[in-house]
Amino acid sequence: MSETKILLSERDIPRQWYNIAADLDTPLKPPLHPGTKQPVGPDDLAPLFPMALIEQEVSTQRWIDIPEEIIDIYRLWRPTPLYRARRLEQALDTPAKIYYKYEGVSPAGSHKPNTAVVQAYYNKQEGVKRLATETGAGQWGSALSLACKLFGLECTVYMVKISYQQKPYRRSLMQVWGAEVIPSPSPRTQAGRAILEQDPDSPGSLGIAISEAVEDAASRDDTKYSLGSVLNHVLLHQTIIGLEAKKQLELAGDYPDVVIGAHGGGSNFAGLAFPFLADKAAGKEVRAVAVEPTASPSLTRGHAAYDFGDTAGMTPLLYMYTLGHQFVPPGIHAGGLRYHGAAPLVAHLYEQGVIEAKAVPQRAVFEAAVQFARTEGLLPAPESAHAVRAAIDEALLAKEEGKERTILFGLSGHGHFDLAAYDAYLAGELEDFELPQEAIDAALAHLPKAD
Ligand SMILES: *Cc1c(COP(=O)(O)O)cnc(C)c1O
């Protein structure tokens, strides 16, 4: 069989998500209350999340049913295609087979709607009227705006101010889908006002915007908060990606030696890789590699520790790999994946040696993205291009070693809204950036004490 696109029908959309918490050797360390430093219970989280999501957050049940209403919405873009990258293989002259799972066919152009629609659904079920969230470049904000519109919820998005000013088109998309978009830091919240007092020209950061959205949700009865990555329930919803990919590879008669995903907070990597790690837990040999930028290297250079999810220190403490919640990536970094931490589940698997991590500099990332666009046609999101880089490196290594190898990577989104970053690359304006150790030490000095 020599298909280029391996397609499933809507009938083949998986009916359950895979919960890797069921297959961990040792349980996750629990989130801690930011004040008391005691493990948080469901009641602590109830002001922020609907109970159904809190239950998923702590569940250790292996398979969790996907509601029929969600399957109906998933039909708008799922199943997503799995491609065999024959033209890229030829260009690399590699004996490796390269497959990629493409999530750019969703309405928002990335994997993020896979969880956004689920979060909107459970909130709607529990009578919530409005969701508040943060967004960096706008991928998550646009996914949640769409999801809220589909379920008749209001949506307020705190958007990192520098992106609000420099990347107007995703802001437009959120507004088309009916969301209110506020540049962050804003005068709307205490957290925002405190930052503005210190620095009226603050460009904002993801951590600050999270503080604002959490405060907004916690202070209103009709509003809850929604997060696009990092949390267990988000990673759970994204496993639809890997579950489909397994069926598609089976149709192609293949199984990956290595599964590769870009890593920001961990959701697309986990979504693709975790269903394969279920096989690994059962004794099968398969590698999983999370790829991050050298400018924001939480797994490869961060510490395993309890840390806040946001800058102001309002969220529960999560045990993760972190660069410190006050970490702000350098301004010259154009490739996204700027979050200071890694999802607790990803961090746990990394600490246990179940998965690998790799950091790549941004010029090599854009070089790979352009090579991919010039062979396969699709324009990768800069975030996704981290996985493209690592996949190409694996394929080149296979060539050097003269070994066959099957590579699966996640193409988590398209780059149609990211052409300014491509312009900068093509104009030779991007620089590689290795974080100096002092910068990491300085950020880590602000880690909270967990005991
Ligand atoms: C948000 C985003 C990422 C990074 O987030 P994760 O939670 O690590 O998946 C990667 N790729 C695309 C296209 C994104 O929009």
Side-chain angles (χ1 to χ4, degrees), residues 106-123:
S106 86
S110 76
H111 64 292
K112 290 195 170 76
N114 296 334
T115 180
V117 296
V118 186
Q119 297 190 39
Y121 167 78
Y122 286 122
N123 275 287

Side-chain angles (χ1 to χ4, degrees), residues 12-307:
D12 303 316
I13 295 176
R15 299 289 155 152
Q16 294 175 312
W17 295 294
Y18 166 62
N19 182 11
I20 200 167
D23 288 320
L24 299 180
D25 287 346
T26 52
L28 283 185
K29 291 194 171 72
L32 304 181
H33 189 280
T36 65
K37 312 280 163 69
Q38 295 302 306
V40 295
D43 291 347
D44 298 311
L45 296 173
L48 294 184
F49 302 107
M51 218 26 97
L53 291 178
I54 294 173
E55 279 164 17
Q56 289 181 356
E57 189 63 21
V58 298
S59 171
T60 52
Q61 188 181 315
R62 182 169 290 108
W63 295 101
I64 294 184
D65 289 342
I66 304 177
E68 204 53 45
E69 292 89 333
I70 294 300
I71 303 266
D72 266 348
I73 291 182
Y74 276 169
R75 285 182 217 281
L76 288 172
W77 68 93
R78 308 212 68 85
T80 62
L82 179 78
Y83 284 80
R84 171 86 185 267
R86 290 185 192 283
R87 288 164 197 277
L88 178 62
E89 289 170 18
Q90 273 161 21
L92 297 172
D93 189 26
T94 175
K97 294 186 218 170
I98 307 175
Y99 291 92
Y100 58 96
K101 178 75 167 157
Y102 184 46
E103 292 294 309
V105 294
S106 86
S110 76
H111 64 292
K112 290 195 170 76
N114 296 334
T115 180
V117 296
V118 186
Q119 297 190 39
Y121 167 78
Y122 286 122
N123 275 287
K124 175 78 179 183
Q125 286 260 306
E126 296 184 25
V128 175
K129 296 281 182 278
R130 176 173 171 270
L131 290 180
T133 196
E134 72 291 330
T135 199
Q139 285 110 331
W140 170 244
S142 53
L144 194 70
S145 303
L146 166 71
C148 284
K149 188 46 72 189
L150 292 172
F151 286 102
L153 299 174
E154 287 175 53
C155 184
T156 293
V157 183
Y158 292 87
M159 183 173 191
V160 175
K161 192 182 277 167
I162 184 84
S163 301
Y164 183 93
Q165 290 161 347
Q166 292 181 350
K167 300 177 181 166
Y169 296 125
R170 279 214 184 83
R171 185 221 312 164
S172 314
L173 188 59
M174 291 184 256
Q175 289 165 338
V176 167
W177 280 323
E180 175 193 31
V181 187
I182 298 172
S184 163
S186 80
R188 274 247 203 145
T189 63
Q190 266 176 24
R193 288 191 294 274
I195 300 277
L196 288 172
E197 251 165 54
Q198 281 174 17
D199 178 9
D201 298 322
S202 165
S205 73
L206 218 44
I208 296 170
I210 297 177
S211 301
E212 290 207 271
V214 167
E215 183 183 329
D216 178 317
S219 58
R220 281 180 56 160
D221 281 345
D222 64 346
T223 301
K224 293 215 188 289
Y225 170 68
S226 187
L227 188 64
S229 186
V230 178
L231 298 178
N232 303 341
H233 67 265
V234 179
L235 276 50
L236 172 77
H237 304 154
Q238 294 294 358
T239 60
I240 188 98
I241 304 172
L243 292 167
E244 283 180 8
K246 277 176 86 166
K247 291 192 189 189
Q248 288 162 308
L249 281 170
E250 208 175 301
L251 285 178
D254 256 322
Y255 194 88
D257 296 297
V258 57
V259 181
I260 298 170
H263 185 275
S267 74
N268 87 88
F269 165 74
L272 182 65
F274 283 6
F276 292 94
L277 295 181
D279 297 343
K280 185 165 179 145
K284 189 145 183 134
E285 220 169 287
V286 52
R287 295 168 53 215
V289 183
V291 190
E292 60 187 13
T294 53
S296 184
S298 57
L299 287 168
T300 52
R301 295 183 69 195
H303 282 191
Y306 272 108
D307 197 8

